[in-house]
């Protein structure tokens, strides 16, 4: 089986031999991000979790799994109720708090309780207030099955988790394709018809679809240089000789703790990063790789944007900078 789709294989292995590679491969499956909450013996408990899945419509069941080493495992295993709090794109800080080792996660945030006394938050895209239906063995995790007593659907865009980092969903770039049966047969007609359908597309949709296509090209630059998304972003976070702890890297990279720790271990093994006193710094070799990556990205920019007249490029930068300042003020 070793030759299966050999050209596009980046990594293949046995999970017990390479848990990091296994986790990276699992990261190819994109999910949403939840905070699971419960109240046990009068004390609130909560963990960030992406192992959530819908299970059954009749009865209405959902499931997720909690690591046996989690400080909250007993609370969830013994509680009669829990709540699935589905996060929006504005709630990365909340995801970071509830995946941290903070002594009191609830002291750092505003929260309320559902009618079954499970903590809940403002700004979610959905919540599922559950009764604990079953708890099963799941290796080093427990599988918690909940019967949904009440669902609440809010306006908003869900936060995603993919390839070790928090992400947002965008319309698929091919969404603008002509409706079936309307495809012109000549290639020049096709081009004209495609242009006219793009002309009528909402400007924001057009921007988003160009952004998606450009960022998927950047993946290739990383892979050609032997780093994945999380390793590439970690290297970039350590640019300019920065000496950062895992917490400081997480704060700016929007990578999860697990992805950051895995990326750092791989980079240290390859002597691209060195560690001392709990802080990480790029080695000479790491700084060289960063330069190569940046050259690769610049080459990509030239390839994709180089054919545009300079005036258009200047105008594009001005418009996008203004927009960025306005949207992220
Ligand atoms: C995006 C993301 C998804 C996670 N998914 C899970 C999960 O499904 N189950 C789990 O036990 N831990 C998961 N974790 C890790 C926990 O949030 C983390 O171990 C937390 O610190 C446990 O808290 P506790 O020890 O206070 O109970 C996830 C972390 C992140 C950032």
């Amino acid at each position: 089986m070793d030759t299966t789709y050999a050209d596009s294989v980046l990594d293949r292995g046995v999970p017990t031999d390479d848990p990091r590679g296994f986790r990276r491969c699992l990261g190819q499956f994109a999910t949403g991000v939840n905070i699971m909450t419960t109240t046990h013996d009068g004390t609130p408990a909560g963990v960030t979790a992406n192992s959530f899945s819908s299970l059954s419509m009749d009865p209405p069941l959902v499931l997720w799994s909690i690591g046996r080493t989690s400080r909250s495992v007993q609370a969830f295993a013994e509680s009669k109720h829990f709540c699935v709090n589905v996060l929006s794109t504005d709630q990365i800080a909340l995801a970071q708090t509830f995946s941290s080792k903070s002594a009191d996660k609830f002291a750092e945030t505003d929260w309320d309780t559902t009618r079954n006394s499970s903590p809940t938050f403002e700004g979610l895209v959905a919540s599922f207030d559950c009764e604990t239906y079953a708890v099963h063995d799941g290796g080093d995790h427990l599988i918690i099955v909940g019967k949904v007593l009440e669902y609440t659907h809010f306006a908003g865009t869900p936060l995603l988790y993919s390839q070790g980092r928090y992400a947002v969903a965008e319309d698929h770039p091919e969404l603008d394709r002509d409706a079936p049966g309307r495809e012109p047969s000549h290639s020049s007609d096709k081009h004209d018809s495609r242009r006219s359908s793009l002309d009528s597309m909402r400007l924001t949709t057009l921007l988003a679809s160009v952004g998606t296509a450009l960022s998927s090209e950047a993946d290739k630059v990383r892979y050609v240089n032997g780093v994945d998304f999380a390793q590439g972003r970690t290297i970039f976070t350590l640019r300019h000789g920065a000496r950062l702890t895992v917490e400081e890297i997480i704060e700016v990279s929007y990578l999860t703790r697990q992805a950051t720790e895995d990326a750092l271990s791989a980079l240290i093994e390859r002597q691209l990063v060195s560690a001392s006193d709990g802080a990480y710094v790029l080695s000479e070799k790491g700084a060289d790789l960063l330069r190569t990556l940046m050259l690769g990205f610049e080459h990509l920019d030239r390839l994709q944007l180089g054919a545009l007249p300079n005036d258009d490029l200047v105008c594009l930068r001005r418009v996008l900078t203004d927009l960025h300042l306005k949207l992220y003020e």
Side-chain angles (χ1 to χ4, degrees):
M1 291 294 284
D2 266 346
T3 53
T4 315
Y5 306 123
D7 285 352
S8 50
V9 170
L10 290 173
D11 187 20
R12 174 179 283 147
V14 175
T16 44
D17 291 346
D18 186 2
R20 258 194 265 139
F22 178 44
R23 263 200 300 270
R24 266 202 307 275
C25 198
L26 289 172
Q28 293 291 76
F29 182 63
T31 67
V33 184
N34 300 318
I35 296 176
M36 304 299 185
T37 55
T38 191
T39 299
H40 182 242
D41 287 345
T43 307
V47 294
T48 303
N50 72 332
S51 53
F52 174 77
S53 176
S54 57
L55 175 62
S56 159
M57 284 302 281
D58 185 16
L61 302 179
V62 295
L63 67 79
W64 67 289
S65 64
I66 180 158
R68 287 182 189 271
T69 56
S70 159
R71 293 171 298 173
S72 321
V73 69
Q74 194 187 359
F76 283 101
E78 294 178 358
S79 281
K80 294 206 166 15
H81 296 97
F82 67 90
C83 183
V84 181
N85 297 279
V86 187
L87 301 189
S88 69
T89 48
D90 296 332
Q91 293 179 306
I92 290 180
L94 213 54
Q96 286 175 327
T97 299
F98 280 86
S99 58
S100 74
K101 287 288 163 205
S102 158
D104 185 359
K105 299 170 177 179
F106 288 91
E108 296 173 28
T109 180
D110 288 338
W111 55 285
D112 203 344
T113 49
T114 66
R115 70 176 69 179
N116 296 298
S117 305
S118 298
T120 191
F121 310 93
E122 200 176 352
L124 304 171
V125 291
S127 69
F128 301 94
D129 203 14
C130 299
E131 173 184 278
T132 307
Y133 182 84
V135 178
H136 298 291
D137 172 48
D140 59 10
H141 280 58
L142 288 183
I143 301 165
I144 314 267
V145 181
K147 181 172 174 190
V148 180
L149 303 176
E150 186 175 72
Y151 69 84
T152 313
H153 186 154
F154 301 95
T157 314
L159 178 63
L160 303 187
Y161 173 71
S162 163
Q163 298 181 318
R165 94 306 207 170
Y166 296 108
V168 294
E170 277 170 7
D171 278 340
H172 196 283
E174 290 187 16
L175 192 70
D176 67 296
R177 282 165 79 98
D178 284 331
R182 288 207 299 117
E183 292 256 325
S185 50
H186 294 294
S187 67
S188 61
D189 291 350
K190 263 189 197 162
H191 185 268
D192 288 350
S193 131
R194 209 155 147 60
R195 179 167 273 283
S196 86
S197 88
L198 288 175
D199 281 347
S200 60
M201 191 191 264
R202 275 174 54 227
L203 200 53
T204 46
T205 313
L206 188 59
L207 263 174
S209 78
V210 169
T212 305
L214 292 180
S215 80
S216 87
E217 286 298 308
D219 265 351
K220 293 180 193 153
V221 174
R222 283 185 213 98
Y223 283 118
V224 165
N225 286 286
V227 290
D228 66 14
F229 184 89
Q231 292 162 6
R233 188 167 280 183
T234 303
I235 290 176
F236 186 69
T237 308
L238 293 174
R239 68 194 181 282
H240 306 318
R243 247 179 79 82
L244 302 178
T245 62
V246 171
E247 278 67 32
E248 289 166 337
I249 296 173
I250 292 172
E251 206 180 306
V252 285
S253 68
Y254 280 179
L255 293 166
T256 62
R257 171 176 300 275
Q258 188 69 68
T260 307
E261 288 173 354
D262 283 353
L264 285 169
S265 304
L267 295 171
I268 289 169
E269 250 167 48
R270 291 173 58 196
Q271 296 172 346
L272 295 164
V273 165
S274 62
S276 68
D277 301 332
Y280 299 86
V281 67
L282 275 189
S283 66
E284 266 308 288
K285 202 172 149 198
D288 281 349
L289 178 59
L290 175 61
R291 269 190 293 278
T292 309
L293 284 170
M294 297 318 289
L295 285 175
F297 292 135
E298 280 166 25
H299 176 70
L300 196 66
D301 278 3
R302 276 197 301 280
L303 219 71
Q304 288 163 334
L305 305 173
L308 293 181
N310 199 45
D311 285 355
D312 285 1
L313 277 178
V314 171
C315 177
L316 185 64
R317 176 170 288 278
R318 197 189 58 241
V319 170
L320 291 180
T321 304
D322 286 351
L323 254 181
H324 194 282
L325 287 172
K326 180 166 180 287
L327 293 171
Y328 291 96
E329 67 191 351

